[in-house]
Amino acid sequence: GDSVTQMEGPVTLSEEAFLTINCTYTATGYPSLFWYVQYPGEGLQLLLKATKADDKGSNKGFEATYRKETTSFHLEKGSVQVSDSAVYFCALSALIKAAGNKLTFGGGTRVLVKP
Amino acid sequence: DVKVTQSSRYLVKRTGEKVFLECVQDMDHENMFWYRQDPGLGLRLIYFSYDVKMKEKGDIPEGYSVSREKKERFSLILESASTNQTSMYLCASSLPPTGVGRETQYFGPGTRLLVL
């Protein structure tokens, strides 16, 4: 079945450091790929997405490129802020019925940015 | 702006109680989902619904049931709560995946359930 693997945290960084969170996936077909972020005490928010190979999703300074050849969707940010402290989830979307899709999530990576 | 609301942020229940978790979305989405979130396991799909009165089992449906009587409302029911159902429960909604990008799911704030 489909699966998503992402690096375990926690990842602790200083402000303005470079952040990379690795994500690889296993899926049949050509899923859409997502990064969701969960800030403390909140639900998940969509951070960015990519729907086909070589697409780059970007938002709030974060980027991720859909790499079909390496089945990866690594998240990067060039200069993190304290406000980026959160849990980040990589996910893929696969069709399970004509009217419905399913998200398969990685285990989440907690990021802590220190001033 | 998209909005998914859940009836409670925190709940404490006793083993054996029947528990109802409510979710409402105001985006006229056809599809609605219930997930549970546990540390290190990410989110796992319990049930989903792609139309009123329709439901499909997800990956971990045992011990749960759902109800969707109206398009905007999707309820998760724990028939007889057990301690291993202590978790964070997240509701989500989306459009049908009939076009690129339409499958994006929008999440509520979550309900943290403690079963004693």
Side-chain angles (χ1 to χ4, degrees):
Chain A
D2 297 343
S3 67
V4 176
T5 303
Q6 62 183 104
M7 56 193 293
E8 291 189 25
V11 174
T12 303
L13 302 163
S14 297
E15 212 165 17
E16 299 184 0
F18 185 86
L19 170 67
T20 299
I21 304 176
N22 290 338
C23 171
T24 57
Y25 68 90
T26 302
T28 54
Y30 303 99
S32 295
L33 300 174
F34 301 80
W35 277 101
Y36 280 86
V37 59
Q38 185 177 35
Y39 298 105
E42 299 184 13
L44 272 68
Q45 301 176 23
L46 177 66
L47 181 59
L48 53 85
K49 66 183 180 185
T51 57
K52 61 182 188 297
D54 299 324
D55 265 3
K56 178 186 281 189
S58 61
N59 186 25
K60 298 182 180 179
F62 290 89
E63 292 184 341
T65 301
Y66 190 162
R67 301 285 187 202
K68 183 168 170 286
E69 64 276 11
T70 55
T71 61
S72 65
F73 193 54
H74 304 323
L75 183 68
E76 296 181 337
K77 186 174 185 182
S79 177
V80 294
Q81 304 300 313
V82 172
S83 57
D84 293 323
S85 297
V87 181
Y88 294 81
F89 293 93
C90 185
L92 66 82
S93 177
L95 200 63
I96 44 177
K97 292 182 83 77
N101 65 293
K102 169 188 167 182
L103 283 177
T104 298
F105 286 87
T109 302
R110 184 176 298 278
V111 173
L112 177 60
V113 181
K114 295 186 174 180
Chain B
D1 204 8
V2 297
K3 194 130 177 103
V4 179
T5 57
Q6 295 183 228
S7 52
S8 305
R9 294 299 301 271
Y10 302 95
L11 273 180
V12 180
K13 297 292 181 180
R14 296 282 180 191
T15 302
E17 279 192 77
K18 192 169 187 176
V19 182
F20 293 86
L21 303 182
E22 303 283 333
C23 174
V24 176
Q25 51 95 4
D26 66 358
M27 297 167 283
D28 202 34
H29 284 170
E30 283 81 358
N31 295 352
M32 296 188 74
F33 308 82
W34 276 106
Y35 294 88
R36 64 176 282 176
Q37 180 183 2
D38 299 289
L41 298 178
L43 279 73
R44 293 176 291 167
L45 182 64
I46 305 172
Y47 268 96
F48 73 99
S49 168
Y50 55 90
D51 202 353
V52 175
K53 296 192 186 294
M54 305 298 287
K55 60 185 179 184
E56 294 281 343
K57 293 181 180 179
D59 298 319
I60 51 165
E62 296 78 19
Y64 303 94
S65 62
V66 290
S67 172
R68 191 157 180 211
E69 297 296 320
K70 294 184 178 182
K71 188 177 184 181
E72 67 271 18
R73 188 179 298 271
F74 192 35
S75 302
L76 180 69
I77 303 155
L78 287 64
E79 297 289 345
S80 178
S82 64
T83 55
N84 63 12
Q85 292 178 309
T86 290
S87 188
M88 168 76 95
Y89 291 88
L90 290 160
C91 175
S93 72
S94 76
L95 292 165
T98 52
V100 172
R102 284 170 57 91
E103 78 271 58
T104 299
Q105 293 187 17
Y106 298 90
F107 285 81
T111 295
R112 191 168 292 281
L113 173 66
L114 173 63
V115 182
L116 300 174

